[in-house]
Amino acid sequence: MNGLTRPLLQWMGMRSLRVQLLSIVLGLSLTTLLVLVTVSFQRTERHAQEESLRWASLLATLAARVSEAPVMDGDAATLDAALTEVLAMPGVNSIEVYQPGGRPFLRVRRNADGQSQSIRPRSDEAGNGPSPGPRWDDSHRSVYITVSLLSAHRMDGGRTPGTDDLLRSGWLQLEYTDQTHLREAYREWMLTSGISLVLLVAALGAFALFLRRTIRPLGALAQFASQLAHKPGETLMQRWGSREVRELGRALNWSSAELARRMTETQQRVSRLHAILDTAADA
């Protein structure tokens, strides 16, 4: 740590007060902006995922309601037509319906070209077990919602059905990937971050101008103080400055006037001494 801070402190020590203050404020501002942007990005992404999860749950519940009767009746054609309409909604990638006992009944999915495709599994095909609750994929971009086909399990206020309940009643799994929420959230985040960056640059520019007007009188005072010995009696005119700078300017003006007065008195004493010496020499 010391090996990193020592060169920085040496560099800061060789710079002017204005550069030091600007460097400190710029570093703190950029650090704060980076932290705020990171936190804002995480909140934006989490909000988009919550929106996707809410829409996926609503669509899965809708698909389960229209699937309950056709599955119980074994009507694959009616179920295919109903699920195709649900699949046409934005963000729905696939829907899988399982009969009681875990036998796959029908799959509908969206192809790469956006067209729907229906797959009727074989009667001897074994399905995967149900996964109660929402489940995100590895990329955290798609969410899988599993709901029961039994209407009693989907009633508001009812308990969440477990694996055994789903096996007894049958279930529906919906895959939802809606990039619209993410794109809108990222667009809003980019706009907010851009506005924050513009405001930060404007604030830093205003602070730099303020420092320039604040530090410039100090430079004038330093130059005036360095010339006191050569030009005593001069007065520094200050047009702008803080109270402390004005007090220092008044002190230097008083010192200049006092130095001029004392040098004048000294010159007068020396002149009188020369006159006395010259008179003594003539006598």
Side-chain angles (χ1 to χ4, degrees):
M1 188 67 179
N2 293 333
L4 296 177
T5 57
R6 184 174 300 174
L8 179 61
L9 293 177
Q10 292 178 353
W11 182 87
M12 291 284 289
M14 297 175 61
R15 297 301 182 270
S16 63
L17 178 61
R18 178 169 175 262
V19 174
Q20 291 178 5
L21 292 176
L22 279 177
S23 300
I24 294 174
V25 173
L26 180 61
L28 293 176
S29 301
L30 291 179
T31 302
T32 304
L33 180 63
L34 180 61
V35 172
L36 292 179
V37 166
T38 303
V39 173
S40 175
F41 178 80
Q42 293 175 351
R43 293 183 59 184
T44 300
E45 189 175 32
R46 184 168 59 253
H47 178 70
Q49 291 175 355
E50 291 174 355
E51 287 291 325
S52 298
L53 181 60
R54 182 160 46 249
W55 277 103
S57 300
L58 292 175
L59 291 174
T61 302
L62 173 63
R65 287 177 178 175
V66 300
S67 301
E68 181 179 4
V71 171
M72 297 305 174
D73 298 337
D75 189 353
T78 302
L79 180 61
D80 186 8
L83 293 183
T84 301
E85 294 182 1
V86 178
L87 188 69
M89 295 184 177
V92 182
N93 287 343
S94 66
I95 304 174
E96 299 182 5
V97 180
Y98 294 84
Q99 293 176 308
R103 294 187 305 274
F105 186 73
L106 183 67
R107 297 190 184 98
V108 292
R109 63 184 182 184
R110 193 188 305 273
N111 294 331
D113 56 358
Q115 300 297 323
S116 62
Q117 179 184 8
S118 301
I119 302 175
R120 182 70 187 273
R122 300 189 308 271
S123 58
D124 58 345
E125 182 177 345
N128 299 323
S131 300
R135 176 174 58 88
W136 292 91
D137 64 352
D138 295 336
S139 63
H140 232 62
R141 291 294 180 266
S142 297
V143 60
Y144 296 87
I145 303 295
T146 301
V147 294
S148 173
L149 292 180
L150 190 61
S151 59
H153 291 163
R154 301 191 305 270
M155 294 177 60
D156 293 339
R159 67 179 181 86
T160 302
T163 302
D164 295 337
D165 297 328
L166 295 176
L167 287 173
R168 284 193 298 267
S169 64
W171 71 91
L172 178 144
Q173 178 177 279
L174 181 141
E175 179 189 0
Y176 184 85
T177 307
D178 191 1
Q179 297 296 326
T180 303
H181 292 109
L182 290 175
R183 285 194 296 267
E184 291 179 355
Y186 291 155
R187 190 181 300 113
E188 182 180 355
W189 173 77
M190 289 291 293
L191 178 61
T192 304
S193 301
I195 294 176
S196 300
L197 182 60
V198 170
L199 292 177
L200 175 63
V201 172
L204 289 177
F207 183 70
L209 293 176
F210 173 77
L211 276 184
R212 183 179 179 183
R213 296 195 64 181
T214 303
I215 301 299
R216 180 183 294 179
L218 294 178
L221 290 176
Q223 183 178 4
F224 178 74
S226 64
Q227 297 177 354
L228 281 180
H230 305 285
K231 299 178 180 179
E234 288 193 354
T235 302
L236 177 64
M237 301 299 297
Q238 293 179 301
R239 297 181 179 179
W240 192 88
S242 62
R243 184 181 64 182
E244 293 78 8
V245 172
R246 290 195 299 270
E247 290 178 355
L248 180 58
R250 286 193 293 268
L252 288 177
N253 286 334
W254 180 86
S255 299
S256 176
E258 185 68 15
L259 178 62
R261 184 182 64 81
R262 294 189 178 186
M263 291 182 66
T264 301
E265 291 178 354
T266 302
Q267 291 176 355
Q268 291 176 354
R269 292 173 183 175
V270 171
S271 299
R272 289 196 297 269
L273 181 60
H274 284 171
I276 292 172
L277 292 176
D278 290 340
T279 302
D282 294 339

